[in-house]
Amino acid sequence: MSAVNDSLVVARRNLIRMGRIPEILVFGLIQPIMFVVLFTYVFGGSIQVGASNSTHAYREFLMAGIFAQTVTFATAGAGAGIADDMHKGLIDRFRSLPMARGAVLTGRTLADLVQTALTLVVLAVVALIVGWRTHENLAKVLAGFGVLLLLGYAFSWIGALIGLSVRTPEAATSGGLVWLFPLTFISNAFVDANKMPSFLRHIAEWNPFSATVQASRELFGNLPPGFHASGAWPMQHPVWASLIWSVVIIVIFRTLAVRKYRRAAG
């Protein structure tokens, strides 16, 4: 319980810091809003999904991908924040306190999760304005956002490990984004993966990002008419696949990040 309390104290510290620097949240919203507008009004008319060729069908298909991209791109911010704390010597100050070693990272990732949740709320409002709608009950819709946030929390631990492994926040930001672009674009986020070349389709089908996108689409009721998922297990059971992927990522990268933190702090 003391470790949990320490983690909550660190999370509160990071949330207060974010509140005093509102630019962090504002600039974090600009990119996903731009993606919504660009893909909806620029590319939406030329991309067909399922049996429908309407812009509205693609708009609903798209939003789950935008939501998932938003929560995963928070990885770069998480890594940069931890690298900044390391660079400024804040970790050395934490070392002198009687607190659990893993609480520093857990508190940071929990604060990032709260920020991501706020970003999703604003982004959902923007999506509703441009015509996105859900077609399932409230419980399933909330479950859809739940799997998205769980993936974002899992990826924040990857960001934590990157932040502990580099020397500057700038390097952490670059390191947090360089692998995210292929991960998000070689997926079913923006196009139907069934139309990809064979070798790319297999990568997209087993991509943890794709599983979460597919799961949220099903839970939102946003699968377009005539759309048929591939026979790959993650695409046939996306909710379970998303949960399994997220838990595995959390277990692996939390273990690695805490071990790296202990070595750095030692």
Side-chain angles (χ1 to χ4, degrees), residues 25 29 33 67 116-129:
L25 184 60
L29 284 170
I33 291 175
F67 292 151
T116 302
L118 293 175
T119 303
L120 270 185
V121 170
V122 176
L123 193 58
V125 172
V126 175
L128 290 171
I129 292 173

Side-chain angles (χ1 to χ4, degrees), residues 159-240:
L161 181 61
I162 293 173
L164 291 167
S165 303
V166 298
R167 297 182 180 180
T168 64
E170 293 79 8
T173 301
S174 300
L177 289 175
V178 69
W179 59 275
L180 279 174
F181 277 102
L183 182 80
T184 55
F185 281 93
I186 306 178
S187 72
N188 60 356
F190 308 113
V191 296
D192 184 357
N194 292 320
K195 298 179 180 180
M196 292 181 177
S198 179
F199 71 100
L200 286 180
R201 187 181 71 250
H202 293 311
I203 295 175
E205 289 170 345
W206 288 90
N207 185 342
F209 182 81
S210 294
T212 301
V213 171
Q214 186 73 3
S216 57
R217 280 193 186 120
E218 286 193 2
L219 293 168
F220 293 152
N222 285 159
L223 292 176
F227 178 84
H228 298 288
S230 69
W233 187 86
M235 297 297 100
Q236 292 296 318
H237 307 86
V239 176
W240 281 109

Side-chain angles (χ1 to χ4, degrees), residues 14-128:
N14 283 286
L15 289 173
I16 291 174
R17 178 175 177 270
M18 290 175 186
R20 291 175 179 173
I21 312 175
E23 302 94 301
I24 295 177
L25 184 60
V26 172
F27 287 116
L29 284 170
I30 291 177
Q31 179 176 299
I33 291 175
M34 287 177 58
F35 270 102
V36 170
V37 175
L38 287 173
F39 275 88
T40 299
Y41 295 107
V42 178
F43 303 114
S46 59
I47 299 178
Q48 180 179 356
V49 290
S52 175
N53 196 28
S54 69
T55 303
H56 180 73
Y58 179 70
R59 187 176 300 145
E60 294 194 344
F61 177 87
L62 167 71
M63 289 308 164
I66 296 292
F67 292 151
Q69 185 188 57
T70 300
V71 301
T72 53
F73 271 39
T75 301
I82 291 175
D84 187 53
D85 288 344
M86 294 282 291
H87 183 68
K88 291 180 178 178
L90 185 64
I91 301 302
D92 292 331
R93 288 159 57 186
F94 282 136
R95 285 176 57 195
S96 65
L97 300 176
M99 61 185 297
R101 290 292 179 90
V104 175
L105 301 181
T106 302
R108 176 75 204 198
T109 54
L110 288 175
D112 290 330
L113 179 63
V114 173
Q115 181 184 353
T116 302
L118 293 175
T119 303
L120 270 185
V121 170
V122 176
L123 193 58
V125 172
V126 175
L128 290 171

